[in-house]
Amino acid sequence: MALQGLFRVLFSGAGLLAAGLFLAPAYAEGPMRWYVGAATDDTHVEVLRNDWGYETSGSERGYSFRGALQFTRNFELELGAMSASDLHWDEYFSGYQGYLTAHTTFDVKAVNVSAVGKAVGQLFEGYIKAGVAHYTLDGVQVLDTLMTDEVLTRDAHASDLDFLLGAGFFVKPSPKWRVRVEYQYFAVDRDFLGVRSDGDVSIDTLSIGFDYRLTKQ
């Protein structure tokens, strides 16, 4: 990512946080609350093509953790981390369709910070989140030809910072606990998978987990 793009992402994240703090209602529920949580994740690669629409990989299991500071009934600041292994992507080289193919198998780890805006109910809460994720991708890429498999094998690595978006809902079975279902994604470097310039690559995760409130009522 160019330096200008990095500053744009950081500025956008800071703007979202400032807007959330400013717009959150002043009549919030007493003192701020801390939450911690964990989830099991279903993670896959998704590529948006300008000409072919969406393409997705198979999903792999992973896990995530998070901590959240609730400033008001409608706004939280979240810090999270996720990990998934053995994701796979096959990319056919443009101009050599069916002749040259790159097979990439890799692990992903990411930490993220997000502003979370909520619609609050008695039992359910819906929310959207926006922020930034710092990700690390590590794996192996194998090049096949029409005539020969595994012509070339190389280690593949990438690490960068990019935007993150998500949405989900909470179910609150008790004052201390809430069950969470969430879908989130963050963009990653297309060159890592050999994706052509007309494709935008993201790591997409559907997670089911729980949060526990540390602070007293």
Side-chain angles (χ1 to χ4, degrees):
M1 181 189 297
L3 186 59
Q4 181 181 359
L6 175 59
F7 280 125
R8 175 176 56 82
V9 171
L10 289 173
F11 180 79
S12 299
L16 283 166
L17 175 57
L21 287 170
F22 178 77
L23 295 174
Y27 57 81
E29 46 187 312
M32 294 184 293
R33 296 175 174 181
W34 285 96
Y35 286 89
V36 293
T40 178
D41 300 340
D42 196 24
T43 300
H44 65 272
V45 181
E46 192 159 296
V47 176
L48 173 61
R49 308 280 193 185
N50 291 341
D51 49 356
W52 297 343
Y54 281 100
E55 297 178 37
T56 62
S57 71
S59 298
E60 298 295 339
R61 304 303 298 176
Y63 57 88
S64 57
F65 301 97
R66 76 173 205 144
L69 176 58
Q70 180 177 323
F71 288 89
T72 75
R73 287 173 56 87
N74 303 101
F75 178 76
E76 294 181 7
L77 181 64
E78 176 185 305
L79 178 65
M82 62 83 67
S83 178
S85 300
D86 297 324
L87 295 172
H88 188 81
W89 186 258
D90 297 329
E91 183 73 14
Y92 297 97
F93 281 66
S94 179
Y96 301 92
Q97 191 76 8
Y99 183 73
L100 289 177
T101 309
H103 308 280
T104 308
T105 303
F106 66 99
D107 302 337
V108 55
K109 292 180 173 62
V111 294
N112 61 80
V113 59
S114 304
V116 181
K118 303 190 300 177
V120 180
Q122 190 67 26
L123 181 61
F124 295 95
E125 295 178 354
Y127 66 91
I128 58 174
K129 57 189 279 190
V132 292
H134 185 274
Y135 64 84
T136 301
L137 312 176
D138 289 294
V140 175
Q141 192 171 74
V142 177
L143 182 66
D144 293 346
T145 71
L146 184 63
M147 305 298 294
T148 307
D149 292 340
E150 300 185 17
V151 172
L152 180 66
T153 299
R154 71 179 184 94
D155 293 332
H157 307 281
S159 181
D160 210 338
L161 182 75
D162 219 309
F163 68 86
L164 176 145
L165 296 172
F169 65 89
F170 298 114
V171 181
K172 300 178 288 185
S174 76
K176 281 284 190 179
W177 293 91
R178 59 187 188 184
V179 179
R180 171 168 43 98
V181 178
E182 178 180 279
Y183 192 91
Q184 74 168 28
Y185 70 93
F186 55 87
V188 297
D189 182 8
R190 68 168 62 93
D191 293 337
F192 174 80
L193 300 176
V195 173
R196 334 188 275 276
S197 60
D198 67 342
D200 293 320
V201 184
S202 63
I203 302 295
D204 294 46
T205 297
L206 174 65
S207 63
I208 301 175
F210 65 89
D211 291 346
Y212 177 75
R213 195 180 74 218
L214 296 176
T215 50
K216 296 181 179 180
Q217 182 69 30

